[in-house]
Amino acid sequence: MSSVETSAGALGGSGHSGASALPKRSLGGLIAISIFWFALNFHWAAVGVILVPSQVIGLLLREAPAGSLASQATWVNDHAGLAQAIVVAPGLIVALLSNPFFGLLSDRTPGRFGRRRPYVFFGTLVNVVGLGMMALLPALLVGSHDGNVLGAGLFLLMAGLMVVQFSNNSAAAPFHALLPDLVPQEQRGKASGIMGLAYWFGTISGAIVPTLFGFNSTALLAGNQDAATYQQGIVLAYASTAGVILLMAILTFVFVREMPWQPSMVSKVERAAQRHTMRDLGLTLLTLVAIVGGVYLFARTTGQPLSEDGLSYVQLIGVAIASVGAAFAFDFRPRRNPDFTWVVLTRMLVMMGVYLVQNFLLLYMQNVAHAPSPQSATTTFIILLTVSATLSTLF
């Protein structure tokens, strides 16, 4: 859900002299290239739509000012949207930079295992570690009940999500280059259809599986589910997600075959462009690190932590810097490429509309629809949405 869907390899060509030189793939070969797409969509439907919003609620309850459970539940509902935005935004900045970086890096990776598969496998291993961090570390800290929206538990959740975004995109970007690398032109429509099915099944499965483990944020806030039962369900849901993405990464690594990269596959012009892109992405990352470090030092030396609004503004500045840095890195010039510019802008607006709803869907089910189980209601909504979207796309 949160990983960018292209890479430098996918956009810049596969490095082959032409699609006609590629051998035709069997149905099994096309499925092998697509199965990791099932895992990626399972992963982000589970983590982004179900788990993180529910965890934010559970962790906020531990930070809510002392008082009755009803007053604490009210405080949690009043601050859940802001807390979720604060937790999620840094990871999206990491994704914005790491996706093109690893796409480019995989374009020029030598080795007998190919250019893309090592990133899929080892990126997924780190992804699983990040999921473990998100599942276990926030719960180890006892809440302070001081009304801090970004308490220690939520900060650890944010840090774990940044690790997950970094590692997931390091696997996803090279993965998306497999199709143009390995599938001949005449089979790409069929391959895209299989990828579409993988998206469909992955999204629905990822929305269903976490709810099978019984954690319920509404029951937790009402005192009808104890914290231990709630946390056990969260851990099991993360474990299932880690199992699915690790299994699919292993199958991809074992069954997909690539041609090893050779220096002759990249022209001098492409090498110069890649060096330029790497340099600009590095400068952008250093700028973001300097800003975060400066804000942290200011808060430490003055003893005045940022307000909730201040945190939001810092994150917005980070998103703007990352976006401008990525645009410079890829030599994005609107006046030179007006058609591509319109595609980028309209796609950005469409995706903004999607995520304005999707990221807060569980909170909507809890606070507006008053669903007895917002997790199950969100799953039902995602299933209906995915099926209807598939039917309209076919039409």
Side-chain angles (χ1 to χ4, degrees), residues 314-330:
V314 169
Q315 291 186 338
L316 282 173
I317 292 171
V319 170
I321 291 174
S323 301
V324 172
F328 274 107
F330 286 98

Side-chain angles (χ1 to χ4, degrees), residues 239-256:
S240 67
T241 303
V244 167
I245 195 169
L246 181 59
L247 174 62
M248 295 304 172
I250 292 172
L251 292 176
T252 299
F253 189 83
V254 170
F255 288 107
V256 174

Side-chain angles (χ1 to χ4, degrees), residues 2-9 44 89-107 119 123 126-127 161-176 277-278 280-282 284-286 288 322-323 325-326 329-330:
S2 297
S3 61
V4 184
E5 296 182 13
T6 58
S7 75
W44 286 115
L92 297 178
I93 296 173
V94 170
L96 180 63
L97 296 176
S98 61
N99 192 281
F101 174 79
F102 283 103
L104 278 174
L105 200 61
S106 72
D107 282 345
Y119 291 95
V126 181
N127 193 156
L161 185 56
M162 291 173 70
V163 173
V164 167
Q165 284 282 15
F166 178 82
S167 55
N168 187 273
N169 280 274
S170 73
F175 160 73
H176 282 294
T277 300
M278 291 290 194
D280 284 0
L281 288 174
T284 302
L285 181 61
L286 289 175
L288 290 171
S323 301
F330 286 98

Side-chain angles (χ1 to χ4, degrees), residues 25 32-33 112-114 117 178 181-182 251-260:
R25 295 271 163 178
I33 293 173
R112 64 189 183 93
F113 294 110
R117 291 183 303 150
L178 284 175
D181 275 358
L182 303 177
L251 292 176
T252 299
F253 189 83
V254 170
F255 288 107
V256 174
R257 291 289 178 265
E258 297 181 78
M259 290 179 59

